[in-house]
Amino acid sequence: MKYQNNILFLFIFLLSTTIFGQENFTLSGTVYDQSSNETLIGVSVYFPTLNSGTSTNEYGFYSITIPAGKHEVYISYLGYKTTTETIDLTKKSTKNFYLFEDAENLDEIIIESNIEKTNIKTAQMSVNKLSVKTIKQIPVVLGESDIIKSIILLPGVTSAGEGASGFNVRGGSADQNLILLDEAIVFNSSHVFGFFSVFNPDVIKDVQLYKGGIPAKYGGRLSSVLDIYQKEGNNKDFKLTGGVGLVSSRLLAEGPIKKEKSSFLIGGRASYAHLFLPLVDNDNKAYFYDLNSKINYRFDKNNNLFFSTYFGKDVFGINESFVNTYGNTVANLRWNHLFSDKLFSNLSLIYSDYFYGLLLDFVGFEWDSGITNYNIKYDFDYYVRDDYKLSFGINNIYTQFNPGKIIPNREDSGILPEKLTNKYANEFAAYIEANHKINSNFTLKYGIRYSNFKRLGQDELNTYANDMPVLYNQELQKYESAVASGVTTYKRSDVLANFGNFEPRISFSYLLNDDSAVKASYNRMAQYLHLLSNTASPTPLDIWAPSGTYIKPQLLDQFAIGYFKNIKEGDYSLETEIFYKDIQNRIDYINGANLVANNEIETVILNGKARAYGLEFLLKKNEGNVKGWIAYTLSKSEQLTAGRNENEPGINNGKWYHTPFDKTHDISINASYELNEKWTFSSNFLLQTGQPTNYPVGQFQFQGLNVPIYNDNRRNSDRLPAYHRLDISATLTPSKNKSRSWKGEWVFGLYNLYNRKNAASISFKQNQETYRNEAIKTSIFGMVPSVTYNFKF
């Protein structure tokens, strides 16, 4: 007891020293872009004589407590001119800074923060940030700049291939990525089945991808967090930005509602290639459109209000007999309030919806499904002093699941209406995290998140003998779906299952010298929502399901350690990381599982485990006429589902097998060359190990047909051929841009320059002429040219 009292006394002494030790004052404020009054995220506010500094948060706010007196301060942000001022601090003060763009550029704001360089002093690791300018320079298919396609060029990030939705991070599945747009959850990030992302680059202000060491304020997914913020809108002048391409166009309007007080932003984007199909007697259609908007109002220096929305829709149809529609809708009302010069808060009310519709007119019915959540969150940043910051908050999400509904669309269809049982859940979380600079060399970030998930009552819930919805048939040596022994009805307020998890997070940075550091991190994450998909890439038809009586929440423990170095004062940077991920309760499927319109999904699911580990390497050139990076990842991603008892073999005979997103080698090279003020050239090269798949091990004859045989105990034991391609682009900026308010540029691109026919899949079927089975390779793209005209007024 005496020992414990001594520890408590020491803690109180240190805390009192922190707060009351010497005459310190707090300097706080916001950093803006001078031309638009757009707040800037991640701006460095640094006092060189004190060797102390801070950076702006997601709303451009900073706060730092330093000794009284005169101090020189540097305000720096890559792409902007560094501002130097002398501050005479005699009392707590508010000081806003306004930065000027370093050079004229087509983008209203050059979002190219110094986090694109290696920030060796912070404890944060496993995070990547790409500027909007960089994203727009990366060559992509059909010439449409794309955030998702850009982050795939980073180490540890892959996709299932061309025409595939989502992305995979460090061997995780696509549903393990938390995708946020202005804090709202986006459930499907793809347009046109993965050819485009839902994020209009003209509207985007900031993009960060967390792969590990994930801050405690984030939760609900295991692999990564893609955090995207929209611009706020120019509150000084009216501006137009847009682009016209071969298959799509976009337009962004922004301006003041009340000058320097409030502003609006509205951006639209649409594809139109389908309009030309009737010219060649083709009645099919495939198009998308989306709309972004944002309004903000600054009541005073302590209160800001924001309202942002996104709506996107895809339509794919074949001769009006098959029409597929799907899309996202999100809205967020946010209130920023400054309680004091040290305490910043953000209260958000968020709505998010993903819908999926299918019309099968030739069969005679429509299908409708989706997921909707209502989210309230309250976050705080407390700047205790210049070397100690606390972040804390709460979050509550109520989710409704519509697994599907069949609606006959004509009387003679013979289809009976059917509604799969709706599901409901509530997830609450609270967190606290400290960012603590122990000394000039050692920085520590530590925190904890507590999450509680309640599966709520529903109209009908199946029950099974011995609580076993999946049975093992000893005679046939295979798993089978059990038949429900009964059905129970619950009230909505009932709790069917209750899960609680503590999720600790810790990371540190130790400076070896001014230019290099060693970092390490550990984080635990819990995921309560699951995307039911047994394909390599998610499809719009896949269904989200909550944890409950028969589906356990997934739990992750991730460890990472790395070496980070700035070379030649940050002109070059090097990042190397080793990671290991251990996942419990990873969903697996019995052989032959049917996931579509299945009201008894628990009868095809088993709980297993997964692991992933690897080495990431990133070498970047950040300055000069030539910029770019080389990224390489060596990794392994595996899954194991053992038998539940000694009489069951499990999946794949109870042995580890490759996940569908296992890529042993992943190399990407990106480079841009600014020849002069008129011409800029860009390119990227990708090389990836082929995706795991299954090939037949034999064949048998049935009624004159050769039928391939697959071995259920060799799951994902084969691979598609290696994937690789080279893309190039050239940007022409006319000289007359300098002398007029209308500024434009031409972007010419070639995707897959050497016309590589990468395999999206390989199927096996009988040749109608030779009557022998043969492998058929399906490829999505060869070489694709593109031309886009971008403008700003």
Side-chain angles (χ1 to χ4, degrees), residues 292-310:
N292 300 74
S293 68
K294 195 168 188 177
I295 296 174
N296 73 87
Y297 189 86
R298 294 174 188 165
F299 292 93
D300 51 45
K301 66 177 183 178
N302 294 332
N303 295 280
N304 293 333
L305 193 68
F306 304 86
F307 180 66
S308 57
T309 67
Y310 167 82

Side-chain angles (χ1 to χ4, degrees), residues 623-681:
E623 302 291 345
N625 291 338
V626 178
K627 297 179 183 178
W629 66 82
I630 299 174
Y632 171 68
T633 306
L634 174 67
S635 64
K636 197 173 190 65
S637 176
E638 298 176 302
Q639 190 161 334
L640 182 145
T641 304
R644 294 169 296 183
N645 54 57
E646 59 183 12
N647 297 318
E648 293 185 12
I651 302 297
N652 197 52
N653 211 22
K655 298 178 181 178
W656 288 98
Y657 67 90
H658 300 302
T659 65
F661 16 89
D662 174 69
K663 304 287 181 72
T664 307
H665 301 283
D666 178 22
I667 302 171
S668 59
I669 303 173
N670 172 266
S672 64
Y673 172 54
E674 187 176 342
L675 177 64
N676 49 46
E677 293 183 353
K678 292 182 63 175
W679 286 100
T680 300
F681 300 93

Side-chain angles (χ1 to χ4, degrees), residues 117-274:
K117 299 181 180 181
T118 300
N119 192 339
I120 62 174
K121 294 183 179 180
T122 68
Q124 183 65 59
M125 64 181 300
S126 306
V127 60
N128 293 110
K129 182 169 181 176
L130 286 179
S131 72
V132 172
K133 179 182 178 183
T134 299
I135 290 170
K136 289 187 173 183
Q137 288 179 341
I138 294 174
V140 292
V141 65
L142 302 176
E144 180 72 22
S145 298
D146 194 292
I147 289 176
I148 302 298
K149 296 294 188 294
S150 301
I151 65 173
I152 289 171
L153 298 174
L154 297 171
V157 187
T158 62
S159 75
E162 293 165 330
S165 300
F167 57 97
N168 308 110
V169 176
R170 289 184 169 177
S173 62
D175 73 311
Q176 293 175 344
N177 303 314
L178 178 63
I179 303 174
L180 301 173
L181 178 64
D182 276 353
E183 301 179 345
I185 298 173
V186 176
F187 287 99
N188 188 318
S189 62
S190 300
H191 279 310
V192 197
F193 304 104
F195 292 120
F196 303 92
S197 81
V198 299
F199 307 110
N200 182 347
D202 287 340
V203 180
I204 300 307
K205 173 180 181 175
D206 188 75
V207 179
Q208 284 197 87
L209 175 69
Y210 297 89
K211 301 177 295 184
I214 296 175
K217 70 177 180 178
Y218 300 110
R221 301 294 187 274
L222 300 190
S223 285
S224 74
V225 177
L226 180 60
D227 199 6
I228 301 172
Y229 279 88
Q230 297 185 126
K231 294 178 180 179
E232 296 165 13
N234 192 318
N235 70 7
K236 285 189 172 183
D237 301 295
F238 179 77
K239 298 288 184 180
L240 279 178
T241 307
V244 180
L246 294 177
V247 297
S248 67
S249 292
R250 61 192 192 279
L251 182 66
L252 170 68
E254 57 181 322
I257 298 174
K258 184 177 181 180
K259 273 206 170 185
E260 301 191 13
K261 193 80 172 178
S262 64
S263 63
F264 75 93
L265 175 149
I266 183 167
R269 188 174 54 150
S271 65
Y272 40 71
H274 66 287

Side-chain angles (χ1 to χ4, degrees), residues 42-63:
V43 178
S44 173
V45 181
Y46 182 66
F47 296 82
T49 57
L50 300 175
N51 192 26
S52 180
T54 187
S55 60
T56 58
N57 68 5
E58 293 89 346
Y59 296 93
F61 176 79
Y62 77 92
S63 177

Side-chain angles (χ1 to χ4, degrees), residues 324 354 356 358 367 369 403 531-532 538-543 595-597:
N324 180 202
Y354 170 69
Y356 176 84
L358 185 63
W367 170 267
S369 65
L531 186 64
L532 302 180
T539 70
L541 192 57
D542 297 332
I543 300 298
L595 303 181
V596 179

